[in-house]
Amino acid sequence: MRFLLTTVGQPRADETLQMEMGKFIQELTEAGSLIATGGMELGGTLIKSVGGEITVMDGPFAEAKEMAGGFALIDVGSREEALELSRRFFAIIGDGEGRMQLIYG
């Protein structure tokens, strides 16, 4: 089962966090669970389709603090395993919130 895990807001950056996250990412990579990971530009570009007309708006947007700031695409055996990896991730980064979504297909 593939899941997209996203975090909200600006990531915290310090040396200890980077070392712990590096170990976590290496463990998931060696286990074959991690497909991709990365940080994302807050805001980005909004693409909207209404009645066949496409509108494109560049950010930042007023609520950029609620936008995804990072992601991990994982492949695991169950939703419970994905939740456990999410718990471990937040144990490393501390306070925050994120989203976990099953990827179909």
Side-chain angles (χ1 to χ4, degrees):
M1 303 174 81
R2 289 184 174 187
F3 289 89
L4 179 64
L5 311 175
T6 55
T7 59
V8 175
Q10 285 281 16
R12 189 183 102 231
D14 64 48
E15 192 172 318
T16 302
L17 171 79
Q18 290 176 359
M19 287 176 36
E20 291 300 314
M21 190 56 67
K23 290 177 192 175
F24 185 55
I25 289 170
Q26 182 176 357
E27 176 188 333
L28 295 181
T29 300
E30 289 173 357
S33 299
L34 185 64
I35 297 169
T37 186
M40 300 187 310
E41 161 190 37
L42 291 179
T45 300
L46 174 67
I47 302 165
K48 187 175 182 180
S49 174
V50 176
E53 186 164 332
I54 306 297
T55 304
V56 177
M57 283 183 17
D58 288 327
F61 303 101
E63 298 301 321
K65 67 182 180 192
E66 296 175 4
M67 303 289 288
F71 76 95
L73 181 58
I74 60 172
D75 190 358
V76 293
S78 67
R79 179 175 293 278
E80 292 74 24
E81 190 175 346
L83 282 170
E84 179 56 30
L85 293 177
S86 295
R87 286 184 185 97
R88 290 181 58 202
F89 172 81
F90 278 104
I92 293 169
I93 68 163
D95 293 345
E97 67 180 64
R99 186 174 290 225
M100 184 180 87
Q101 296 173 275
L102 177 65
I103 303 295
Y104 296 111

